[in-house]
Amino acid sequence: MERIPILKMGDLLLVTIQVDMHDRLAMTLQDDLTARIVKDRARGVLIDISALDIVDSFIGRMISNTAAMARILDARTVLVGMQPAVAITLVELGLTLHGVQTALNVEKGVTLLRQQAL
Amino acid sequence: MERIPILKMGDLLLVTIQVDMHDRLAMTLQDDLTARIVKDRARGVLIDISALDIVDSFIGRMISNTAAMARILDARTVLVGMQPAVAITLVELGLTLHGVQTALNVEKGVTLLRQQAL
């Protein structure tokens, strides 16, 4: 079964999205991620989208929802690795990624989460 | 263009393989990874295969070759997240992953690389 791996790094979880998301894959990811936040007592989630050339409203909403779920479970979400073209498209389409923080890359995302944990 | 993202974490690089590898994707990954080792002065490479249910001789050879290239560039490679079924298949097929170290997960892989860097 297709599944996006969730990597544990200390009290953070890292998800790298490389494939086109569809409904079921997005739901599986949300199920897996929320379960792992609880199991691993994660304080933060990094979602890397550097492999995505396009972020449409479906993926945008999926990311916002995932961040909202994580937030309820007391974990912050940072979206990292966004390509310049994606940022342009998001603004032009008026997609706001409500409730999601962003950082340039994984390292800066980790720094951001560490600062907020203090 | 399809491309596997390479994430920088300190002096380590992390590659998560989620999709079926084919010739061109494997070559692109090797090109990208060797370029990034030099550019980021990476000392270690973590290849996560937790999403792979099957590792055939092509992927096995690709991983071995990638590790050999990294080694020449003074970076060590650790393969992490192997599923139990994959380990069974590798041994049954007689695939040895020559020159590649393994660790249970990303965290243990990082620890292994840090120890060897001392």
Side-chain angles (χ1 to χ4, degrees), chain B residues 9-84:
Chain B
M9 302 191 306
D11 56 355
L12 305 180
L13 298 175
L14 171 66
V15 180
T16 314
I17 299 179
Q18 299 178 17
V19 292
D20 286 333
M21 296 299 281
H22 48 76
D23 279 28
R24 217 173 51 194
L25 187 59
M27 278 188 55
T28 307
L29 176 61
Q30 289 173 344
D31 283 351
D32 289 352
L33 189 61
T34 45
R36 285 290 297 273
I37 289 171
V38 174
K39 180 170 161 279
D40 294 338
R41 302 182 186 198
R43 299 305 310 272
V45 176
L46 293 157
I47 302 179
D48 176 83
I49 57 164
S50 57
L52 299 186
D53 295 321
I54 299 165
V55 171
D56 58 14
S57 60
F58 173 73
I59 296 182
R61 202 169 53 243
M62 189 276 292
I63 291 170
S64 285
N65 287 351
T66 307
M69 293 170 196
R71 195 79 196 86
I72 298 175
L73 296 170
D74 198 24
R76 288 169 184 276
T77 302
V78 176
L79 191 65
V80 301
M82 188 185 291
Q83 292 187 23

Side-chain angles (χ1 to χ4, degrees), chain A residues 62-108:
Chain A
M62 189 276 293
I63 291 170
S64 286
N65 287 351
T66 307
M69 294 169 195
R71 194 79 196 84
I72 299 175
L73 296 170
D74 196 24
R76 288 169 183 276
T77 302
V78 176
L79 191 65
V80 301
M82 189 185 290
Q83 291 188 23
V86 170
I88 292 168
T89 314
L90 284 179
V91 171
E92 286 180 346
L93 290 179
L95 298 175
T96 51
L97 294 178
H98 185 71
V100 182
Q101 289 184 294
T102 53
L104 189 64
N105 53 36
V106 173
E107 283 188 309
K108 289 186 198 290

Side-chain angles (χ1 to χ4, degrees), chain A residues 1 3-5 7-10 14 16-19 48 50-51 53 106-107, chain B residues 1 3-5 7-10 14 16-19 48 50-51 53 106-107:
Chain A
M1 188 184 149
R3 196 175 271 275
I4 294 175
L7 308 181
K8 182 171 179 287
M9 302 191 307
L14 172 65
T16 315
I17 298 178
Q18 298 177 18
V19 294
D48 176 83
S50 58
D53 294 322
V106 173
E107 283 188 309
Chain B
M1 187 185 149
R3 196 175 270 274
I4 294 176
L7 308 181
K8 183 171 180 287
M9 302 191 306
L14 171 66
T16 314
I17 299 179
Q18 299 178 17
V19 292
D48 176 83
S50 57
D53 295 321
V106 173
E107 283 189 309

Side-chain angles (χ1 to χ4, degrees), chain B residues 68-109:
Chain B
M69 293 170 196
R71 195 79 196 86
I72 298 175
L73 296 170
D74 198 24
R76 288 169 184 276
T77 302
V78 176
L79 191 65
V80 301
M82 188 185 291
Q83 292 187 23
V86 170
I88 293 169
T89 314
L90 284 179
V91 172
E92 285 181 346
L93 290 178
L95 297 176
T96 51
L97 295 178
H98 185 71
V100 183
Q101 289 184 293
T102 54
L104 189 65
N105 53 35
V106 173
E107 283 189 309
K108 289 186 196 291

